[in-house]
Structure formats: structure tokens, C-alpha cells
Amino acid sequence: MDTNTQFDQAISDCRRVFVAKLSDYGASWRIMRPQSVTDQIFIKAKRIRSLEIKGVSAVGEGILPEFKAIVNYAIIGIIQLQLGFVDTKDIDAERATALYDEVAAKARALLVAKNHDYDEAWRSMRVLSYTDFILTKIERVKQIEDNAGEVKVSEGIDSNYLDILVYAVFGIIKLTE
């Protein structure tokens, strides 16, 4: 399977989870401020790192579902940056899914461009490196958030969320090959 097909499959799996949770909870995540989304991604990435180090899960859930959650929260984060947070759910499942698909398409375009430039170097990397890169990107996002979104020469929060999403997809692909 080629990378684009694998990316599409990984996003499809993540989207299924997103849609199922929309059915259960609606777009309750619309209430989350960007900093809370960042912290949620942080929690998921820290759990992955903990499982990578310990080699065992006390609650029975593995690394793969956490990478999928990171993909979904990164997409939620980008949507929240675009729309802003609200005090109550304000979009239905159809609109939320359309927004999800728009962000996923941007991430796919980024992946295609980076794969062109880097010749799929990610395939030679270890999954634990994706985890570390995600954690590094989260620390960058936290700093940008602490600086009220201002950057002098760096990419913004949305670009970091896209990178986090792509690294999480790489993790999903590697774990399912």
C-alpha cells in the first residue's frame, strides 16, 4: 500500500471514532478552549510515552487508540482555532463532520508535500520518535498559547496541530502495517 492510501485508511478509522462520539455526545468539544484541546493532546501523548516505556497498560487500552485520539483532537483543535470556542454546542453532526473532512484534507496535502521533500524518511523512524515529536510540538503550542498566540519567526498553533496530526497518522500506519 502506498502512503496516500495508508493515510486515507488511518483518517477513515479516526473519522469513524469521531462520528461515533458525535452520535454519543454531539459536538460537546465546541466548549473547549484551545488550551484545553492542547492539554488533551498532551495527556494522550504522555500516555503513549508511558506505555512505550513501561511496555504494559494497566487499563487494557493500547497505543493505537491514543494515536487515533490525537488525530481527532488535533482536528478539533484546528476547528476550534477557526471557529472559536462557545458556551454550548452550536453545530450539528453534519457540520462537524464536514469541518473534520476539510481539516483532514489539509493534513493530507501537507503529508503529500512533505513526503515529496523528505522522500518518506518517516518510514525509517521509530514510533517512539513520533511520540517525542508530538510532545515537542505540544510544548511549542503551549508556549505560543502563553504568548497570546504571537510568534516572531515560528509557525502558528494551527501548523503545529497539523504536524501533530501527521505524526499521529504515521504512528497509526506503522502500528497497523
Side-chain angles (χ1 to χ4, degrees):
M1 225 185 291
D2 72 337
T3 298
N4 295 340
T5 303
Q6 288 176 304
F7 178 89
D8 293 342
Q9 180 60 51
I11 289 294
S12 178
D13 291 344
C14 295
R15 187 180 187 276
R16 268 193 291 281
V17 172
F18 181 82
V19 168
K21 290 195 178 218
L22 273 175
S23 176
D24 289 346
Y25 308 126
S28 57
W29 48 266
R30 287 286 294 127
I31 295 167
M32 294 176 77
R33 291 173 282 185
Q35 297 89 338
S36 297
V37 177
T38 301
D39 285 344
Q40 189 64 32
I41 297 169
F42 172 75
I43 289 167
K44 299 297 184 182
K46 284 294 282 188
R47 183 163 187 275
I48 292 170
R49 187 171 169 141
S50 173
L51 292 175
E52 289 169 344
I53 292 167
K54 294 173 184 170
V56 64
S57 167
V59 296
E61 293 178 357
I63 292 171
L64 185 60
E66 299 294 4
F67 274 124
K68 290 178 182 182
I70 288 172
V71 167
N72 287 341
Y73 277 113
I75 290 174
I76 286 168
I78 293 167
I79 293 169
Q80 292 298 81
L81 289 173
Q82 291 170 352
L83 301 182
F85 64 92
V86 295
D87 290 329
T88 185
K89 296 184 291 186
D90 65 341
I91 60 175
D92 62 14
E94 184 177 329
R95 175 80 173 125
T97 305
L99 291 165
Y100 185 101
D101 292 341
E102 288 173 20
V103 174
K106 286 180 188 175
R108 189 180 196 280
L110 176 66
L111 173 108
V112 169
K114 286 193 173 189
N115 263 348
H116 175 271
D117 290 355
Y118 290 96
D119 291 326
E120 297 205 343
W122 68 271
R123 288 194 180 274
S124 298
M125 294 169 58
R126 298 172 189 98
V127 173
L128 66 86
S129 292
Y130 308 139
T131 307
D132 290 350
F133 291 164
I134 289 168
L135 285 165
T136 300
K137 291 284 184 177
I138 291 167
E139 288 302 317
R140 291 176 182 177
V141 169
K142 285 181 176 184
Q143 185 64 51
I144 295 168
E145 289 170 345
D146 290 347
N147 293 339
E150 297 295 320
V151 292
K152 293 182 180 177
V153 296
S154 303
E155 296 177 321
I157 294 170
D158 56 342
S159 293
N160 280 285
Y161 278 157
L162 276 175
D163 286 343
I164 288 168
L165 190 165
V166 170
Y167 286 130
V169 168
F170 290 163
I172 292 167
I173 291 171
K174 291 281 272 210
L175 291 171
T176 56
E177 283 186 312

